[in-house]
Amino acid sequence: MSLRSAVPVLGGAPDPCDGPGSPAPLLSIEDLRVAFGGGDQAVAAVRGVSYEVYPGETLGVVGESGSGKSVTVMAALGLLTTATAATVTGRVLFEGQDLLAMSAPQRRRVLGRDIAMVFQDPVSALNPVQRIGDQIAEMIRLHEPGVSRGDARRRAVALLEMVGVPHPGVRARQYPHEFSGGMCQRAVIALAIANRPKVLIADEPTTAVDVSVQAQLLEVLRTAARETGAATVLISHDMGVVAEMADRVCVMYGGRVVETGPLARVFGHPRHPYTEGLLACIPRLGDPVARLTPIPGQPPTPYLLGKGCAFAPRCAHRSGREVCLGERPELVVVDGEGRGGVAAACHFLAEREVPGLRQAPPAAAASASASASAASAVVSSPAASAVSSSDSAVSSPAAGGEGREGGGALLEVRELSKEYPMRSGLLGRRTGAVRAVRGLSLVVRPGETVGLVGESGCGKSTTARLLMRLEEPTSGSVVFDGEEVTGASAGRLRELRRRMAMVFQDPKASLNPQLSVGANVAEPLRLAGGWSRPARRERVAELFDQVGLARHHLERRPSELSGGQRQRVAIARALALRPKLVIMDEPVSALDVSVQAQVLNLLADLKAELGLAYLFVSHDLSVVRHVSDRVAVMYLGRIVELAGRDDIFERPRHPYTQALLRSVPSAEVEVARRGRRAPLQGDPPSPLNPPEGCSFRSRCPLAEEACGREVPLLRVHDGLPGEVACHLAGAGGTGAAGGPAALSAGAGW
Amino acid sequence: MSAAAGDARQSVSGSGAAEPRPGEKPQPRPEERSGPRPGEKSQARPGEKSEPRSGERYEGKVSVGMAVGQEARAEGAAGREVSSGASAAPPGAVEPPVRGVLATLAHDRWVHVMLGLLVLLAAGSYVLPLVADLDYARQSSAVLQGPSASHWFGTDEFGRDNAVRVLVGARSSLQVAFGAALFAMVAGVVIGLVAGYFRGPADAVAMRVLDVLLALPEVVLALVIIAVLGNSGLNLVIAIGVAFVPVFARVTRAGVLALREQDFVVASRAMGARSPDTMARTVLPNVLGPIVVQFVITAAVAVVVSAALGFLGLGPEPPTPSWGAMMQTAKSYLYQNPWYGVAPGIALIVTVLCLDRLGARVRIALGVEHSGAGRGGRR
């Protein structure tokens, strides 16, 4: 495969900081403004955005949801006007021509040929009733009518091969539904580069896929850009992805660019308080901190933005100054010029240039200064106490591992399995089974956080539901607080469910939209009985205080709150009956990063305050590292590795864990650019038909014939901490030196 | 990246660069943005689809002050300070006004007109004969007259005033119609709720039985039931109501099926709720929208059915007037007095039209796009 050839790409080769001698920009957006609706109702989603892309470079556009990063691009390409009644002003120059001033036919000739897009959801970006190869061939012939059908097909196959689709000849004749999500996105990339575009715009290209597939796709995007020589605009909310891919970045907030410049300079030395906050609030895999520094407040709502700086209400540096609210800061060049220059939009850039604070190892300095500055404005007394308590938890990670044997188990899971029968035919005969969870054993002790991590489809959410018997397990047992959950009668089960609680991923879906949030929180109290109305009201108010919600929110509907606030409501509801265990199913993955940090801190505080035990299910390794005492890594329904947090993240022993850790993009420029990891190949196998023996062997770089014979058991190897389910873990001391561990060397965690 | 995560991150994407993304259109009116209230679930909410974590994007109509205020734990003194410092305006002041379903309806001119006509008709049929000297049974020698100043709609074969008879005939029509719709709603909702929530064999059996009911024309069904039970007001209500039970059961069941796997329903079970509690408190309020719409529309159809039964001779005993019976008699005197049948006909048309339009407006207010209800439901 061509893309596997070593890529000298972004290691630093095309240096973005060429200085004034750099060529003219290929695509430049000038003062683009987008408003939806008309008259008084008009909502400005994009408020004067300018950026340019130079030939051969990758521009990363970062921002949270609602920052206008996608709208900008859609508007710039003229894709907004028809259906949405949007008003677009400004100029979008491509090779000297204004795209917005062009007629529709002219623009059509440019789009797809010179400027191509890759969308977030690959499955819906492809025509479901047309063969993949035909779709690509059609795209080629659309812009190059001279090409014969046969030639176009052959080129389509070659393109598919280039983006790493195995057996491209066969795959080209297949339909999108026969492709996995990752494969679809490869096809979409092939489609985008079919006409060798000059600009490739990728809008959240990897958000819909798993980390291991994300790593593959980023590689493909890089190859695609290199092969076609296209300039790339990469839009993403994920700082890690941007850090890994981009030469220059453009940070957007509230429909404006707040900071732009070469990646290393912006991420290494953020000038704008928002960039700084954004970098400080993401949990880092390589550099765990006891407590995250969230950006206070909520991401802005376009129609509530005033005329001042959009970030002012959340800004730690504003210190009440009126100018931030009244006057919009312009993007001013701080340092350098043109392509290599850094520009930021803040009234107080000068005072933020405090010497001595920075210039050390950039990432560390940034987070340190951010925490220092943000802490002064935000921290309240209970939070401060929680810092110290979670500090102590961090300082004794081993205790989280195997040391707490004496505590006894709060939750004990033994050989839990769940199969979903597949039925087909007229009589619904059972033709197979999706084996979602296969013999899972796990212990959660009081006051402990166990992280359950894995890619989509590995059965982690099913496990969470099985534990509360929201789904009936096929076999196995769950014992909670000394009582059997699996065999409990309906009445006993209701009792048990009051002592364990669950927080779901999407708070919008998990709160009853018909009830006020106060009533939602009161539901468990009402159901438990024995709570009078005033007692309920009092407890709900207390819970609201506990999770940091204002009491005037009590009467609001869930739909009237923001995502972060809703998740606080969901957490308050879970805590209503003072449970001992809270099962969290991806509690922060639906939230923006700045809000995610707030919720993670809240969870840490609550744990310290109430002595809760958490089972924390997540796909996000950085988040899991941040919250967990012990971590279980799942693959295809089984736990493949279970160990103390630091053991797993610093000394991963299962090849899957190692690969997973290598796949996570890091927002630290240093780490991101260091010799690029080899991503895990292929897609996870279907749980309908998992490989015999070790399920991971189909993707394992170390797999031997023996791996197919027997299912490896989760056990302690060579007296090392943690349990691993790998045949090779014991053979010849893989643990610290040889075997799988060799792969992790250089990963640099 | 669980399956659920996939949902949250779903985006609208076009094929290549060709398709416009409706995604980013912000919707300024809050009730359009709010979560799945009764029917709003099916309303297009484009703002939500465009970006990975956009669920909360246009959702939070959080005032600036609140947004800041709630960041720190509320009990912390520092947190309070930030909160009060930044609240330039009291929370709520910045928010656009929230309009509920009822408020939306109250501002709807169609609703004013339609509801007004219906109330007028109902009030007129009960109250007018009490206050004015109107007797639907008073006979006179002026038989089969055309419209005149003293008899606006003429007279019938006994010289009774047609206008008065039509007005009073509305009683039976409305009583039967709303009674039947109510009966059908209560029975249908209970069946649909239980069947949809528990699924399994009970669901299969119930649905097959209802399919059989659905296969019979409601007039025929009503005739059979009255033949068995006997002709009385209550039996008429039941006879017509039974025919509409399947529609309500189906509408309810469809809503319940869509809801039962939703997180908040699962959450209710996870909190230790009993099934009846979950059904009544959590599921039912969220499927009520389409049911209300169906109720109004069923009432419209039931007016027609009751007139049809009246036409066939079933209905209130003479001399109590009913529209169907009047039209039946009018048919016999078509050549003597062609105006005879016009009055009950107009009354019937106006009533049905009012109910039907009312149903449509309620549906719009609730944002029920496709409830399986409406005229397509039955008939």
Side-chain angles (χ1 to χ4, degrees):
Chain A
M1 266 187 294
S2 58
L3 73 151
R4 300 292 307 114
S5 56
V7 187
V9 253
L10 302 166
D15 187 21
C17 316
D18 296 355
S22 55
L26 194 56
L27 176 73
S28 78
I29 293 174
E30 293 175 8
D31 197 31
L32 190 81
R33 287 162 193 275
V34 183
F36 294 101
D40 299 342
Q41 297 267 296
V43 172
V46 178
R47 342 180 123 213
V49 166
S50 306
Y51 57 74
E52 49 287 319
V53 197
Y54 294 89
E57 75 168 355
T58 300
L59 173 75
V61 180
V62 237
E64 293 178 279
S65 58
S67 61
K69 54 191 192 300
S70 291
V71 199
T72 305
V73 167
M74 300 304 286
L77 301 186
L79 299 178
L80 271 187
T81 41
T82 41
T84 48
T87 327
V88 181
T89 58
R91 294 207 304 165
V92 180
L93 294 179
F94 174 72
E95 293 187 326
Q97 285 176 293
D98 187 353
L99 282 177
L100 295 180
M102 276 183 192
S103 70
Q106 271 178 315
R107 193 160 52 213
R108 271 203 300 277
R109 274 195 291 279
V110 174
L111 296 185
R113 189 190 63 198
D114 293 331
I115 303 179
M117 272 199 86
V118 174
F119 292 94
Q120 177 184 348
D121 183 0
V123 182
S124 61
L126 292 168
N127 182 348
V129 296
Q130 201 181 9
R131 294 174 202 276
I132 301 267
D134 290 349
Q135 294 188 39
I136 301 174
E138 187 181 285
M139 190 67 169
I140 293 172
R141 279 164 52 80
L142 189 68
H143 291 285
E144 290 176 58
V147 180
S148 76
R149 263 170 215 284
D151 281 349
R153 278 223 186 96
R154 271 186 289 281
R155 266 172 65 183
V157 173
L159 279 164
L160 285 176
E161 182 166 17
M162 190 173 109
V163 296
V165 173
H167 314 297
V170 182
R171 296 295 243 169
R173 287 193 298 277
Q174 290 184 333
Y175 291 93
H177 70 264
E178 297 173 85
F179 276 48
S180 68
M183 282 297 152
C184 273
Q185 193 61 299
R186 285 167 195 263
V188 170
I189 294 172
L191 196 62
I193 59 172
N195 295 95
R196 305 189 72 82
K198 291 172 181 147
V199 180
L200 185 63
I201 297 174
D203 186 357
E204 302 271 9
T206 60
T207 308
V209 298
D210 278 317
V211 266
S212 69
V213 179
Q214 164 172 296
Q216 298 169 19
L217 283 176
L218 294 180
E219 196 74 56
V220 169
L221 264 178
R222 245 189 301 233
T223 314
R226 193 186 62 237
E227 297 280 321
T228 58
T232 310
V233 178
L234 179 75
I235 300 169
S236 181
H237 69 278
D238 188 329
M239 310 286 280
V241 168
V242 171
E244 192 171 297
M245 299 287 291
D247 301 313
R248 288 194 308 124
V249 283
C250 191
V251 183
M252 286 189 66
Y253 189 82
R256 282 177 190 149
V257 175
V258 295
E259 183 162 2
T260 179
L263 175 85
R265 299 172 73 179
V266 171
F267 276 27
H269 179 177
R271 319 282 165 122
H272 195 281
Y274 175 63
T275 317
E276 189 178 24
L278 207 54
L279 284 165
C281 73
I282 42 177
R284 285 161 196 266
L285 201 49
D287 168 34
V289 289
R291 195 173 174 79
L292 299 169
T293 328
I295 304 177
Q298 312 293 332
T301 322
Y303 65 89
L304 288 179
L305 283 176
K307 54 185 163 129
C309 173
F311 189 61
R314 305 174 72 188
C315 185
H317 289 269
R318 190 186 138 220
S319 346
R321 285 178 285 211
E322 281 306 311
V323 62
C324 292
L325 290 180
E327 202 177 305
R328 166 192 171 183
E330 295 299 326
L331 199 63
V332 288
V333 175
V334 196
D335 181 9
E337 271 178 26
R339 198 174 159 188
V342 177
C346 178
H347 288 299
F348 303 105
L349 282 174
E351 82 186 47
R352 293 179 35 72
E353 293 289 324
V354 187
L357 254 182
R358 319 289 167 81
Q359 302 306 0
S367 61
S369 70
S371 46
S373 52
S376 60
V378 177
V379 165
S380 54
S381 44
S385 69
V387 171
S388 55
S389 57
S390 43
D391 267 344
S392 63
V394 171
S395 61
S396 57
E402 304 302 313
R404 287 191 196 166
E405 229 42 275
L410 180 63
L411 178 78
E412 193 173 353
V413 185
R414 258 182 261 115
E415 291 299 316
L416 193 66
S417 293
K418 176 69 183 176
E419 290 184 7
Y420 296 96
M422 297 278 290
R423 298 182 190 281
S424 65
L426 199 60
L427 300 173
R429 271 188 317 142
R430 194 184 150 124
T431 51
V434 174
R435 303 171 68 190
V437 179
R438 304 188 286 161
L440 180 138
S441 301
L442 186 69
V443 168
V444 180
R445 302 187 186 94
E448 162 185 68
T449 301
V450 175
L452 192 58
V453 69
E455 295 181 280
S456 61
C458 74
K460 55 191 191 306
S461 288
T462 310
T463 305
R465 288 177 177 231
L466 288 174
L467 297 182
M468 293 201 78
R469 247 179 82 192
L470 295 169
E471 309 245 6
E472 283 303 323
T474 310
S475 66
S477 80
V478 177
V479 177
F480 172 71
D481 215 1
E483 214 173 315
E484 188 91 12
V485 178
T486 25
S489 66
R492 288 305 307 154
L493 190 60
R494 276 199 295 277
E495 258 332 288
L496 281 169
R497 282 174 179 170
R498 282 161 201 168
R499 281 184 277 154
M500 56 212 282
M502 191 154 176
V503 174
F504 294 81
Q505 173 182 9
D506 182 0
K508 192 168 65 195
S510 69
L511 297 174
N512 187 346
Q514 291 297 310
L515 299 178
S516 71
V517 292
N520 260 301
V521 175
E523 273 293 281
L525 304 174
R526 186 184 65 80
L527 290 166
W531 290 77
S532 67
R533 256 169 206 282
R536 267 188 251 160
R537 202 167 304 141
E538 199 176 316
R539 174 77 181 133
V540 171
E542 190 182 307
L543 285 162
F544 263 53
D545 290 345
Q546 215 161 29
V547 300
L549 283 169
R551 292 192 183 193
H552 64 249
H553 287 132
L554 277 168
E555 292 308 314
R556 286 167 192 261
R557 293 289 180 96
S559 56
E560 297 172 61
L561 300 184
S562 73
Q565 290 171 323
R566 275 195 292 243
Q567 196 60 294
R568 283 171 199 261
V569 174
I571 292 168
R573 182 176 67 179
L575 298 179
L577 289 168
R578 302 190 174 87
K580 292 180 175 173
L581 172 72
V582 183
I583 296 170
M584 312 243 174
D585 188 0
E586 304 264 8
V588 294
S589 30
L591 307 175
D592 269 315
V593 274
S594 66
V595 178
Q596 171 180 311
Q598 297 172 9
V599 173
L600 287 176
N601 281 349
L602 171 68
L603 291 179
D605 294 348
L606 291 171
K607 183 185 167 188
E609 236 168 85
L610 308 172
L612 295 169
Y614 293 145
L615 182 75
F616 195 96
V617 176
S618 180
H619 70 275
D620 190 328
L621 292 151
S622 322
V623 168
V624 167
R625 162 143 222 191
H626 181 76
V627 299
S628 307
D629 296 318
R630 288 191 304 141
V631 178
V633 181
M634 272 187 91
Y635 187 76
L636 274 187
R638 293 204 178 107
I639 293 180
V640 296
E641 185 164 0
L642 172 65
R645 192 243 330 242
D646 293 346
D647 286 321
I648 270 230
F649 285 97
E650 273 151 36
R651 294 170 289 282
R653 289 160 65 210
H654 195 281
Y656 177 63
T657 316
Q658 294 167 351
L660 214 52
L661 285 171
R662 277 200 308 277
S663 303
V664 181
S666 167
E668 282 147 84
V669 182
E670 317 284 287
V671 179
R673 292 307 165 87
R674 196 177 302 155
R676 175 57 188 166
R677 68 268 172 121
L680 205 54
Q681 292 305 307
D683 296 311
S686 157
L688 190 59
N689 187 17
E692 301 262 310
C694 175
S695 342
F696 185 58
R697 88 193 148 91
S698 61
R699 300 171 82 193
C700 182
L702 306 169
E704 294 172 1
E705 208 180 314
C707 296
R709 269 182 243 134
E710 215 176 307
V711 179
L713 296 175
L714 188 67
R715 62 187 179 86
V716 175
H717 290 275
D718 305 335
L720 290 165
E723 298 167 60
V724 188
C726 178
H727 288 305
L728 306 167
T734 54
L743 279 170
S744 68
W749 307 115
Chain B
M1 299 199 186
S2 66
D7 280 352
R9 289 163 179 187
Q10 214 170 52
S11 85
V12 176
S13 314
S15 169
E19 197 175 291
R21 259 205 322 193
E24 305 284 340
K25 183 182 181 184
Q27 296 179 315
R29 294 235 318 266
E31 81 263 28
E32 289 174 5
R33 288 181 282 101
S34 55
R37 296 226 189 125
E40 288 184 5
K41 54 181 177 285
S42 52
Q43 201 173 29
R45 287 142 69 201
E48 307 220 338
K49 289 187 174 173
S50 53
E51 282 197 23
R53 289 158 185 199
S54 68
E56 52 274 8
R57 174 95 170 283
Y58 295 117
E59 295 273 338
K61 345 180 263 96
V62 181
S63 77
V64 169
M66 283 153 46
V68 176
Q70 69 101 35
E71 118 290 307
R73 315 278 312 278
E75 63 250 56
R80 285 209 185 286
E81 210 169 69
V82 174
S83 162
S84 57
S87 307
V94 192
E95 297 169 23
V98 183
R99 261 204 211 168
V101 171
L102 284 177
T104 311
L105 286 176
H107 283 87
D108 191 325
R109 207 176 306 154
W110 272 102
V111 171
H112 295 170
V113 174
M114 296 306 166
L115 208 57
L117 277 173
L118 283 175
V119 169
L120 221 59
L121 190 66
S125 68
Y126 288 99
V127 179
L128 262 188
L130 300 179
V131 295
D133 178 31
L134 300 170
D135 183 358
Y136 62 82
R138 190 198 301 139
Q139 305 190 356
S140 74
S141 56
V143 296
L144 297 172
Q145 300 283 304
S148 65
S150 51
H151 304 290
W152 290 0
F153 289 131
T155 57
D156 70 359
E157 73 276 18
F158 299 113
R160 298 176 295 200
D161 184 88
N162 264 344
V164 177
R165 289 183 64 78
V166 165
L167 193 63
V168 175
R171 284 183 202 173
S172 106
S173 284
L174 293 178
Q175 273 169 5
V176 169
F178 281 97
L182 196 67
F183 175 88
M185 180 168 76
V186 171
V189 165
V190 170
I191 294 171
L193 205 55
V194 172
Y197 189 77
F198 290 109
R199 303 295 308 273
D203 175 36
V205 171
M207 286 300 125
R208 293 301 80 76
V209 170
L210 293 179
D211 283 347
V212 172
L213 275 185
L214 205 54
L216 300 170
E218 57 267 86
V219 175
V220 176
L221 195 61
L223 276 175
V224 171
I225 294 173
I226 290 175
V228 174
L229 297 180
N231 187 6
S232 80
L234 184 65
N235 288 348
L236 203 61
V237 165
I238 294 173
I240 297 173
V242 165
F244 293 106
V245 169
V247 189
F248 279 100
R250 288 220 161 260
V251 169
T252 311
R253 180 172 169 274
V256 174
L257 286 184
L259 279 173
R260 66 195 293 271
E261 295 303 325
Q262 293 261 319
D263 278 352
F264 69 89
V265 178
V266 177
S268 162
R269 288 201 288 144
M271 287 184 281
R274 291 166 186 275
S275 299
D277 193 286
T278 306
M279 281 192 280
R281 291 265 308 181
T282 310
V283 178
L284 185 58
N286 285 291
V287 293
L288 222 45
I291 294 172
V292 169
V293 174
Q294 187 61 46
F295 176 80
V296 180
I297 288 167
T298 300
V301 182
V303 170
V304 177
V305 175
S306 79
L309 290 176
F311 194 82
L312 295 176
L314 300 172
E317 293 296 323
T320 313
S322 86
W323 295 343
M326 284 177 77
M327 282 189 271
Q328 159 68 18
T329 333
K331 201 187 74 176
S332 323
Y333 299 101
L334 199 57
Y335 293 104
Q336 289 89 328
N337 180 8
W339 291 98
Y340 192 164
V342 170
I346 290 175
L348 187 67
I349 290 169
V350 169
T351 311
V352 173
L353 203 65
C354 283
L355 284 169
D356 188 71
R357 285 290 84 200
L358 204 59
R361 301 312 291 182
V362 173
R363 187 174 63 211
I364 291 167
L366 288 168
V368 182
E369 295 274 322
H370 179 75
S371 61
R375 279 154 296 183
R378 182 164 182 118
R379 165 133 311 257

